[in-house]
Amino acid sequence: METRILDGKEIGRRIREEVGREIEEKKLSPGLTVVLVGDDPASKVYVKSKTKACQELGIRGERVLLDESISTAQLLQVINRLNLDDQVDGILVQLPLPRHIDKKLVLEAVDPSKDVDGFHPVNVGRLCTGDFTLAPCTPMGIMEMLRMEKIAVKGAHAVIVGRSDIVGKPMAMLLLHSHATITICHSRTRDLAQVCRRADILVAAVGRTALVGRDFIKEGATVIDVGMNRIEDREEAMQLFGEDSERFKRFQDKGYALVGDVHPREPLGRAGALTPVPGGVGPLTIAHLVKNTLLAHEARHC
């Protein structure tokens, strides 16, 4: 069996193109503000890519950069100011926050109508009932990909490995609303591989490098790899990629590689479709962030 590689970059481009077309045709002017606390290098890269994606589509993408020493109370004041600013349609607080910040208080302070991450309890509740506008970007991006790639969800058995509030739980709700049968797995699931082998759609979102191997996958299943794990060990890279592979050569040049929760080679020839890492789910997340910003703007102004 030939495994179809699902190109997240191309699908993300198509989603962004749809958003840009609607903004232009309707002459809209959405605005997204991303709040970044501290100097975490990875967070800085993510924030830059998010605001750049917005600006390319005619969305006002702005950054609020705050010192790591800011208190929870001071951060709440910033959030409240953005809540009251009519030019701001979407507010995104970049995670992780410094340990001394009360994350729960901060996320709950965001106006639900501007919560483009879909993390606010009001939006979580709306997602559970199926009457929602804003939902977490990664699961929504995955649903867009399944739709665009014409992968049948209705009646399928979907297994999700991971129960996080950001991916696992909302992914389960979205698939359930699309009439899939859902199984959620986690660290205490017995015989995980056997449970996963029942899946028509397998979503790996647990944060463990190459956990999902060939024996986890039913022949012909669609495998969605949400993991993004950095490896720096040469022996591990050789085992995962193969000594003569192009990926191993790139690893040797750079000294590290990004690997998902799915083994990079073992699903090939067994899975019907597979998202790569990198270049799979990541671009879908940013694409749906700009779509959520558009949806928030339309709900507030149109």
Side-chain angles (χ1 to χ4, degrees):
M1 173 183 290
E2 184 176 351
T3 300
R4 177 162 53 117
I5 303 301
L6 303 174
D7 187 347
K9 291 181 180 178
E10 172 59 20
I11 298 166
R13 184 194 64 77
R14 287 159 59 188
I15 294 171
R16 294 196 307 272
E17 193 175 75
E18 289 178 1
V19 170
R21 189 182 307 118
E22 185 168 349
I23 289 172
E24 185 177 359
E25 289 176 354
K26 295 183 178 180
K27 295 180 171 55
L28 303 177
S29 182
L32 170 70
T33 297
V34 182
V35 179
L36 175 62
V37 181
D39 296 314
D40 180 72
S43 292
K44 283 185 173 181
V45 172
Y46 294 147
V47 167
K48 185 177 180 180
S49 62
K50 289 170 182 177
T51 52
K52 181 182 177 184
C54 287
Q55 291 164 350
E56 288 174 350
L57 298 175
I59 295 173
R60 286 173 284 102
E62 299 177 358
R63 285 174 282 180
V64 175
L65 307 178
L66 302 171
D67 192 87
E68 189 171 0
S69 63
I70 192 172
S71 68
T72 297
Q74 291 170 321
L75 181 52
L76 291 174
Q77 290 178 350
V78 173
I79 299 298
N80 186 56
R81 175 174 59 79
L82 296 174
N83 284 339
L84 297 173
D85 188 341
D86 200 48
Q87 296 299 306
V88 176
D89 298 299
I91 301 170
L92 187 154
V93 180
Q94 181 65 40
L95 302 178
L97 289 168
R99 289 187 178 184
H100 68 277
I101 299 288
D102 189 327
K103 183 180 79 170
K104 183 173 180 290
L105 273 181
V106 170
L107 295 181
E108 290 184 1
V110 176
D111 182 337
S113 71
K114 299 186 177 188
D115 169 37
V116 289
D117 262 334
F119 294 162
H120 193 283
V122 168
N123 289 326
V124 173
R126 287 172 178 162
L127 175 59
C128 288
T129 64
D131 182 23
F132 64 94
T133 299
L134 301 175
C137 299
T138 299
M140 282 299 291
I142 292 169
M143 294 303 294
E144 289 276 4
M145 179 191 67
L146 294 173
R147 177 183 65 83
M148 289 183 173
E149 292 293 319
K150 296 180 170 54
I151 294 170
V153 174
K154 185 177 181 180
H157 183 190
V159 174
I160 300 145
V161 186
R163 52 180 169 178
S164 72
D165 295 335
I166 296 172
V167 179
K169 292 175 186 175
M171 190 81 252
M173 285 293 101
L174 290 168
L175 287 164
L176 186 62
H177 293 321
S178 294
H179 311 295
T181 298
I182 307 301
T183 300
I184 302 178
C185 300
H186 45 78
S187 60
R188 292 174 177 80
T189 299
R190 294 176 183 171
D191 199 348
L192 180 61
Q194 184 181 40
V195 176
C196 290
R197 280 197 301 272
R198 302 172 190 159
D200 302 303
I201 300 171
L202 177 60
V203 182
V206 73
R208 288 183 58 187
T209 303
L211 170 70
V212 175
R214 190 175 182 85
D215 61 333
F216 282 63
I217 301 167
K218 181 171 79 172
E219 189 169 353
T222 296
V223 180
I224 310 297
D225 191 353
V226 184
M228 185 69 77
N229 311 292
R230 182 182 172 115
I231 63 168
E232 298 178 353
D233 182 78
R234 185 179 185 277
E235 292 299 318
E236 184 180 17
M238 187 187 301
Q239 183 182 27
L240 290 173
F241 303 139
E243 187 174 3
D244 298 325
S245 69
E246 286 299 320
R247 286 199 70 180
F248 184 63
K249 291 175 184 176
R250 291 198 297 272
F251 168 86
Q252 290 183 300
D253 290 339
K254 297 171 69 175
Y256 73 93
L258 298 176
V259 181
D261 292 351
V262 178
H263 194 287
R265 290 188 294 158
E266 290 186 4
L268 299 175
R270 185 166 182 84
L274 172 69
T275 60
V277 175
V281 170
L284 303 176
T285 302
I286 292 180
H288 206 83
L289 171 63
V290 297
K291 185 166 184 177
N292 266 358
T293 303
L294 172 60
L295 292 171
H297 175 83
E298 290 182 321
R300 296 181 65 248
H301 297 289
C302 299

